[in-house]
Amino acid sequence: MRLHLSLRQPGLVWLNEFIWMHKILSNPIFPETLICSSTNQRGENMYCIIVGGGRLGTSLSSKLVANGNDVVIIEKNQEVANILRADTSLFVISGDGTEVASLESAGANKADVLIAVSGDDNANLVAAQIAEHQFAIPNIVLGANNPRNVRIFHELGVKKVADRTSDAVQKLLDAMNDVRASAVVGEGVARVMEFQVEDGSYADGSTIDKLYLPEESTVGAVIRNSNLLDADKKLTLRSGDSVVIITAPEETKRISRIFSKEIE
């Protein structure tokens, strides 16, 4: 079975990695306890191996270390590995995450977690398979650079796979529709979105119950001057307020018109 490989525009690589990191840290397939807890099921600090020392790999590593976990990065590019050693306090091994010897050097025999997030989908898959079958690492997460490979990885037995690129498209669409932030919940059935009330928009001066939101859409909170307000239906919105709304994904554009000056 052939994996689908793709080249991404270099200028968007950092954006994809940042967005995917946010996604994987908040996604149910990447348990919150993995990031927030500093112990494994034995009550010990977790030992984590990160395959790939790019921006995503180093960001994940820093987050894990900050929460008390022990982390080793395996980076194939010697120059990149040297830079990481010089510029960070992270423990970095120069090696190939698809080779048993490199994984052994990284301590795979005692690892609780392996996260494969290199820029090569084939390498990520091989690393994950070796981690499972050779070392029996209990918690394995694989990053798919090409969204079409997610299904293939699942079919090949990898349980925890996150697509590194599809959210980048959604975030760009959100920016276009004046959505400041969003998150998909309920397996894609709903989205939590943040809109800012623009001066002169329909929402500016309207009470929440007069926003005429789409059916089954709910205002969850209002943030004003860094203060969280109760979303009472009689609360009058003001320019600059941030409004958090839970709604169906397809209602994004319709809702954005309520908070924007340009209303049809």
Side-chain angles (χ1 to χ4, degrees):
M1 185 176 295
R2 182 175 178 81
L3 300 183
H4 302 281
L5 303 180
S6 64
L7 295 175
R8 293 175 291 163
Q9 296 181 36
L12 291 178
V13 169
W14 69 270
L15 175 62
N16 289 332
E17 291 182 341
F18 173 81
I19 292 170
W20 190 81
M21 180 185 70
H22 180 271
K23 177 181 179 179
I24 196 171
L25 293 179
S26 60
N27 198 301
I29 71 167
F30 193 83
E32 185 177 356
T33 53
L34 177 60
I35 292 299
C36 299
S37 173
S38 60
T39 61
N40 55 23
Q41 293 181 347
R42 300 184 300 274
E44 305 165 339
N45 286 347
M46 289 192 302
Y47 192 93
C48 311
I49 296 175
I50 308 295
V51 177
R55 287 187 179 89
L56 177 58
T58 54
S59 297
L60 285 170
S61 298
S62 297
K63 181 72 172 179
L64 288 164
V65 169
N67 284 283
N69 301 296
D70 299 317
V71 179
V72 177
I73 296 175
I74 301 177
E75 171 54 47
K76 188 175 182 179
N77 186 302
Q78 181 69 55
E79 183 178 356
V80 172
N82 290 337
I83 292 173
L84 288 176
R85 292 192 194 100
D87 295 348
T88 73
S89 58
L90 299 171
F91 188 74
V92 183
I93 290 178
S94 299
D96 189 337
T98 65
E99 295 179 354
V100 172
S102 293
L103 289 168
E104 284 180 338
S105 297
N109 287 308
K110 62 178 180 180
D112 301 294
V113 180
L114 180 136
I115 308 174
V117 288
S118 76
D120 185 335
D121 277 357
N122 284 308
N124 290 339
L125 176 62
V126 172
Q129 291 178 327
I130 294 175
E132 178 182 5
H133 300 295
Q134 184 78 17
F135 297 101
I137 296 177
N139 200 342
I140 299 169
V141 182
L142 191 155
N145 296 281
N146 191 311
R148 289 181 293 176
N149 288 334
V150 173
R151 178 182 58 83
I152 295 175
F153 289 155
H154 282 309
E155 291 176 352
L156 292 173
V158 183
K159 296 179 181 179
K160 299 179 181 180
V161 183
D163 164 20
R164 294 179 54 164
T165 59
S166 63
D167 257 8
V169 175
Q170 186 59 61
K171 291 292 183 179
L172 291 170
L173 291 174
D174 283 349
M176 181 182 69
N177 289 317
D178 299 315
V179 182
R180 301 184 67 190
S182 70
V184 177
V185 296
E187 298 182 345
V189 175
R191 294 182 68 203
V192 181
M193 295 178 285
E194 179 185 358
F195 297 85
Q196 185 170 38
V197 179
E198 293 186 8
D199 184 28
S201 66
Y202 177 82
D204 186 14
S206 296
T207 55
I208 289 178
D209 63 342
K210 297 299 183 182
L211 290 178
Y212 301 109
L213 294 172
E215 194 172 341
E216 298 184 0
S217 298
T218 302
V219 175
V222 176
I223 302 170
R224 177 178 296 164
N225 298 324
S226 300
N227 296 313
L228 184 63
L229 306 180
D230 181 32
D232 184 90
K233 64 180 182 180
K234 294 301 181 182
L235 176 67
T236 299
L237 299 176
R238 302 175 184 171
S239 173
D241 286 351
S242 291
V243 183
V244 179
I245 295 178
I246 305 170
T247 189
E250 61 270 17
E251 299 291 358
T252 302
K253 184 175 292 186
R254 179 180 172 186
I255 295 176
S256 70
R257 296 192 183 109
I258 297 173
F259 296 91
S260 174
K261 283 185 179 180
E262 299 178 0
I263 307 174
E264 293 181 357

